[in-house]
């Protein structure tokens, strides 16, 4: 038996995945801020705008990571999980960009940018992303209970 339940193992993997998604965004933010300071020294507001945009993109990426982690826990074969992810990313890129309902699909949300949204839309998107992450965690808990029964 494992020292932890499979659900807590899922949450641990999700935490590691979140940290591993955060690292490239931090490196990107540092490099872009250095470029912004070098080539645009007269506009101090650009750096804050850049950081807000990167934080928003990171938050929109988390439901996709949680969805792929849930799909990978269902699939026994890595290639099925990878193929599912590729198909869902391709499908999300083909969706119309103006549809706000389809924006909450986990694979379509990373395509939205902060500067193109109105004042209340980012809050709705962030709340939707938080709900999606909780939903995938609940789905994983339900799946683990069903799998244990079978």
């Amino acid at each position: 038996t494992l020292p932890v339940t499979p659900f807590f193992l899922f949450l641990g993997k999700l935490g590691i995945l979140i940290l591993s998604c955060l690292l490239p965004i931090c490196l990107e933010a540092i490099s872009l801020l250095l470029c912004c300071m070098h080539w645009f020294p007269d506009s101090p507001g650009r750096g804050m705008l850049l950081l807000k945009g990167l934080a928003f993109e990171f938050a929109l990426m988390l439901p996709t990571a949680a969805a792929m982690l849930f799909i990978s826990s269902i699939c026994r074969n890595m290639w099925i999980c990878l193929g599912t992810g590729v198909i869902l990313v391709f499908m999300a890129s083909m969706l119309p960009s103006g549809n706000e309902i389809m924006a909450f699909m986990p694979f379509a949300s990373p395509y939205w940018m902060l500067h193109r949204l109105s004042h209340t839309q980012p809050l709705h998107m962030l709340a939707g992303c938080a709900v999606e992450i909780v939903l995938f965690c609940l789905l994983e808990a339900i799946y683990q209970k069903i799998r244990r029964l079978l």
Side-chain angles (χ1 to χ4, degrees), residues 64-128:
T64 307
M68 281 308 297
L69 190 60
F70 174 66
I71 291 170
S72 69
S73 72
I74 293 174
C75 300
R76 295 284 178 211
N77 190 341
M78 179 184 76
W79 298 108
I80 294 173
C81 176
L82 178 68
T84 304
V86 168
I87 289 170
L88 288 172
V89 166
F90 178 71
M91 184 186 75
S93 67
M94 300 312 271
L95 292 173
S97 61
N99 193 347
E100 292 182 18
I101 295 172
M102 292 304 258
F104 288 105
M105 180 184 154
F107 291 87
S109 58
Y111 291 108
W112 288 78
M113 292 180 227
L114 183 62
H115 70 277
R116 292 186 180 169
L117 300 175
S118 69
H119 295 292
T120 59
Q121 282 180 322
L123 295 175
H124 295 297
M125 293 289 292
L126 292 174

Side-chain angles (χ1 to χ4, degrees), residues 44-58:
R46 287 184 194 253
M48 186 55 75
L49 184 64
L50 176 71
L51 288 177
K52 285 180 184 177
L54 286 174
F56 184 71
E57 291 298 322
F58 174 70

Side-chain angles (χ1 to χ4, degrees), residues 11-30:
L11 291 179
K13 287 179 185 178
L14 185 60
I16 291 170
L17 191 59
I18 288 170
L19 289 176
S20 64
C21 289
L22 187 62
L23 180 67
I25 288 184
C26 287
L27 291 174
E28 179 183 6
I30 291 169

